[in-house]
């Protein structure tokens, strides 16, 4: 007696599936992306999706990690490589203009757009914590520059970090509204004018 295979097929490509799920969440947001949307995007049935990833929330958590490693790490790389916080923020804003408008994927930042209109407190909190952790990294780098004299000792590190985060969030939304890379690069340059000069 021949029995049918259960769960995911042997040809199932987990990385390709995560990539397709990421694009679905990125385009529609967490709330508006249904299991039916995901199974259609991934080309698998609901049982295979549950067997591979557990549920929608667990799949989304995996997608956020993949997104961070593939598209969201430009900020941490810039902070590690640039000599000052200002140089790092300048690079981050310019690279955001490029990443947020790349036609190879949905526009903007997935961590920002996926949280829009979600009624899931858990998802909203997880994404909020991720964004706040980034602000803390910005603030730490700014404080390091204040300690070395690269920034004035009386600079408001927390406000500067939030300012950089607010500009990034605004650029993400502007890109989804159709702003071009060149327009966002101009925003980045204007934003840097508010950065305090070295003493």
């Amino acid at each position: 007696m021949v029995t049918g295979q259960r769960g995911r097929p042997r040809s199932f490509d987990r990385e390709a599936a995560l990539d397709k799920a990421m694009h679905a969440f990125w385009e529609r947001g967490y709330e508006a992306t249904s299991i039916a949307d995901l199974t259609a995007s991934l080309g698998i049935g609901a049982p295979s999706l549950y067997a591979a990833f557990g549920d929608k929330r667990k799949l989304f958590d995996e997608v956020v990690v993949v997104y961070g490693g593939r598209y969201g790490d430009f900020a941490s790389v810039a902070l590690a490589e640039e000599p000052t916080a200002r140089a790092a923020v300048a690079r981050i804003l310019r690279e955001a203009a490029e990443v947020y408008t790349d036609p190879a994927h949905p526009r903007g930042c997935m961590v920002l757009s996926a949280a829009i209109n979600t009624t899931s407190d858990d998802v909203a909190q997880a994404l909020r914590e991720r964004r706040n952790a980034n602000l803390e990294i910005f603030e730490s780098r700014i404080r390091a520059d204040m300690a070395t004299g690269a920034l004035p000792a009386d600079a408001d590190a927390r406000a500067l970090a939030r300012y950089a985060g607010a500009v990034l969030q605004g650029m993400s939304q502007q890109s989804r509204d159709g702003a071009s890379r060149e327009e966002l690069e101009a925003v980045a340059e204007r934003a840097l004018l508010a950065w305090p000069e070295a003493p």
Side-chain angles (χ1 to χ4, degrees), residues 53-189:
F53 300 106
D55 58 21
K56 176 180 168 181
R57 172 59 198 278
K58 288 177 183 172
L59 171 57
F60 181 70
D61 288 344
E62 281 198 54
V63 160
V64 169
V65 172
V66 171
Y67 172 83
R70 192 176 304 166
Y71 299 106
D73 66 349
F74 65 90
S76 58
V77 171
L79 287 164
E81 292 180 354
E82 295 298 328
T84 65
R86 186 190 190 284
V89 168
R91 176 172 160 185
I92 289 165
L93 294 179
R94 291 183 189 116
E95 290 183 2
E98 178 182 359
V99 172
Y100 291 172
T101 58
D102 187 336
H105 54 68
R107 286 178 158 247
C109 170
M110 191 198 78
V111 172
L112 294 171
S113 60
I116 294 172
N117 297 327
T118 183
T119 58
S120 169
D121 291 339
D122 288 346
V123 169
Q125 179 64 23
L127 294 175
R128 187 180 307 116
E129 288 174 359
R130 194 174 185 89
R131 292 191 300 271
N132 286 336
N134 289 336
L135 291 181
E136 288 173 11
I137 294 169
F138 281 15
E139 184 177 346
S140 175
R141 184 61 198 277
I142 292 164
R143 289 191 186 285
D145 276 11
M146 291 166 62
T148 62
L151 279 173
D154 62 351
D156 189 334
R158 189 168 186 79
L160 275 176
R162 287 206 171 274
Y163 173 71
V167 173
L168 280 170
Q169 290 177 11
M171 288 173 66
S172 174
Q173 184 58 53
Q174 286 286 307
S175 72
R176 290 179 71 86
D177 289 343
S180 68
R181 174 178 175 178
E182 292 73 22
E183 288 171 326
L184 294 183
E185 285 173 341
V187 169
E189 294 306 315

